[in-house]
Amino acid sequence: MRLYVHSADRDGPSAWPSSAPGDAQYLPLDLTLPLDALSASLTDAAPRGATVFSHSAAAVPVALAAARLSPRALVLVEPALYDVARGHPAIEAHIAGISRARALADTGDLFGYWSVVRPLMFGGPADPARWEPERAGVARFAARRPPWGFGVDAAMLRGIPTLVVTGGWNAEYDAIAEVLERHGAHRRTLSGHGHRPQDHPDFAATVETFLADV
């Protein structure tokens, strides 16, 4: 059985295009909630021995619950496990930028927040001409809790076969992947799809090759 963990902003099949309905169970998470609290829902949803997939910030509750889950394997796609790579220049620059942006959002300046976050995370400047159609999505994104400060340690995954897949486009995710690789994870890069390497046509084969040796 395979458990696919993702943001509630997407449905399961669109979040994980290569998943097969026969053995897939989807767990959408409300990432505006404290990420450490969400780890309890994982324990309830994942039977022992499942292969657990997670993407981006959803990897935080997966890492926190890993010891309790006793999974067959983990597949972490661009995991936002910033805590494991604190001190790396790209990680610290990102955290500083998001902290500035959140301070603006806290004062009600949502466009100021987006002016920092859009080029930092999505590419290109915030455009006043596109602001009205983007506003609602920005507000939802600003409500998310940043994925650091939860004490995630790479040692939490020790002994669990782990595949880390990145898109090869972002220094922060590369830094996180490097730390996890040093702690025993298998690392693969699938370029051309930005933050969603699970959309790459080779993603399913990459996973199956990894699982064949688990």
Side-chain angles (χ1 to χ4, degrees):
M1 181 268 203
R2 300 182 180 192
L3 178 68
Y4 293 87
V5 186
H6 56 94
S7 165
D9 291 342
R10 286 179 180 256
D11 62 68
S14 68
W16 300 99
S18 67
S19 59
D23 67 350
Q25 181 174 331
Y26 303 107
L27 181 63
L29 298 180
D30 180 356
L31 298 180
T32 66
L33 299 175
L35 296 178
D36 49 353
L38 292 173
S39 65
S41 63
L42 279 161
T43 307
D44 296 335
R48 296 173 71 88
T51 297
V52 181
F53 293 69
S54 66
H55 177 231
S56 196
V60 173
V62 168
L64 292 172
R68 299 193 305 274
L69 292 175
S70 296
R72 174 193 176 195
L74 298 177
V75 178
L76 308 180
V77 182
E78 295 243 315
L81 302 180
Y82 282 80
D83 284 342
V84 307
R86 290 304 303 260
H88 188 284
I91 296 290
E92 297 306 321
H94 179 84
I95 290 175
I98 294 299
S99 298
R100 289 196 307 273
R102 289 181 64 82
L104 292 168
D106 289 344
T107 67
D109 184 3
L110 198 58
F111 185 77
Y113 164 89
W114 193 229
S115 297
V116 176
V117 170
R118 197 180 199 288
L120 190 65
M121 297 187 66
F122 300 97
D127 184 352
R130 293 200 305 254
W131 176 236
E132 285 309 316
E134 287 184 337
R135 181 194 293 268
V138 173
R140 289 195 302 273
F141 194 79
R144 290 187 178 190
R145 306 296 179 93
W148 49 79
F150 296 99
V152 176
D153 191 302
M156 292 175 173
L157 309 183
R158 187 174 295 139
I160 302 172
T162 301
L163 172 65
V164 180
V165 183
T166 56
W169 68 285
N170 180 284
E172 299 135 42
Y173 293 112
D174 286 343
I176 292 165
E178 287 167 8
V179 173
L180 296 176
E181 185 177 28
R182 289 201 302 270
H183 283 78
H186 298 260
R187 181 184 177 189
R188 298 291 182 271
T189 301
L190 297 175
S191 302
H193 293 266
H195 188 43
R196 287 187 51 83
Q198 66 265 52
D199 293 340
H200 194 286
D202 293 338
F203 178 76
T206 298
V207 171
E208 295 310 319
T209 298
F210 163 71
L211 291 177
D213 293 330
V214 170

